[in-house]
Amino acid sequence: QANPFQHRICRVFSTSDAGDDSMSFEDFLDMLSIFSESATSDIKSHYAFRIFDFDDDGTLDRKDLEKLVNCLTGEGEESRLNNVEMEQLIRNILEESDIDKDGTINLSEFQHVISRCPDFARYSSICG
């Protein structure tokens, strides 16, 4: 099955001036470097944050979190959360992650949460 974040990954790693999210060979190598076992958790979490920041505004807000959940659960009717479930999940994520209580998750808050996940670096590697 295709990676649900493939378009975001291409956007984050693309250096194309055309704005078409195409990747050069160097972009591809940069991506492989980030997803390698040798990349640090800080670097991996920085790029994961950028991939999850769908509107590229530097924060994960409710819309970003909803898109993230939909990518992870699938867009189909049988797997999609209903409005109540989605709202509860987003509320739980923000309660756990939004340290400054501004209704969004910034990079620092995201990295703080990731630091409590010892398997993050292993699961964010291509091989491992």
Side-chain angles (χ1 to χ4, degrees):
Q1 189 176 30
N3 185 325
F5 300 103
Q6 65 189 2
H7 298 293
R8 286 297 304 159
I9 291 170
C10 289
R11 169 150 303 171
V12 166
F13 286 96
S14 174
T15 57
S16 171
D17 291 332
D20 60 0
D21 301 338
S22 62
M23 292 176 66
S24 68
F25 185 67
E26 289 79 15
D27 295 338
F28 181 72
L29 291 177
D30 287 344
M31 179 192 69
L32 289 179
S33 173
I34 299 305
F35 290 121
S36 75
E37 289 182 21
S38 61
T40 66
S41 286
D42 279 348
I43 290 172
K44 288 178 182 287
S45 62
H46 171 80
Y47 279 92
F49 180 85
R50 288 188 57 205
I51 291 166
F52 300 157
D53 182 13
F54 292 93
D55 57 10
D56 297 315
D57 69 351
T59 63
L60 303 182
D61 60 16
R62 289 178 167 276
K63 287 188 180 205
D64 292 319
L65 294 173
E66 186 172 335
K67 282 186 178 185
L68 174 59
V69 170
N70 284 334
C71 282
L72 293 172
T73 61
E75 298 283 336
E77 286 298 316
E78 67 281 350
S79 60
R80 181 176 227 134
L81 299 180
N82 66 42
N83 291 342
V84 173
E85 293 168 328
M86 180 67 78
E87 179 57 33
Q88 183 61 49
L89 181 56
I90 290 172
R91 191 175 315 125
N92 290 347
I93 291 169
L94 289 171
E95 185 176 306
E96 192 71 27
S97 308
D98 182 16
I99 297 168
D100 63 9
K101 303 300 179 202
D102 68 349
T104 65
I105 301 168
N106 61 37
L107 176 59
S108 176
E109 292 167 330
F110 183 79
Q111 288 180 321
H112 176 74
V113 169
I114 293 302
S115 72
R116 299 183 309 190
C117 302
D119 292 331
F120 173 76
R122 185 175 53 144
Y123 290 123
S124 59
S125 296
I126 292 174
C127 301

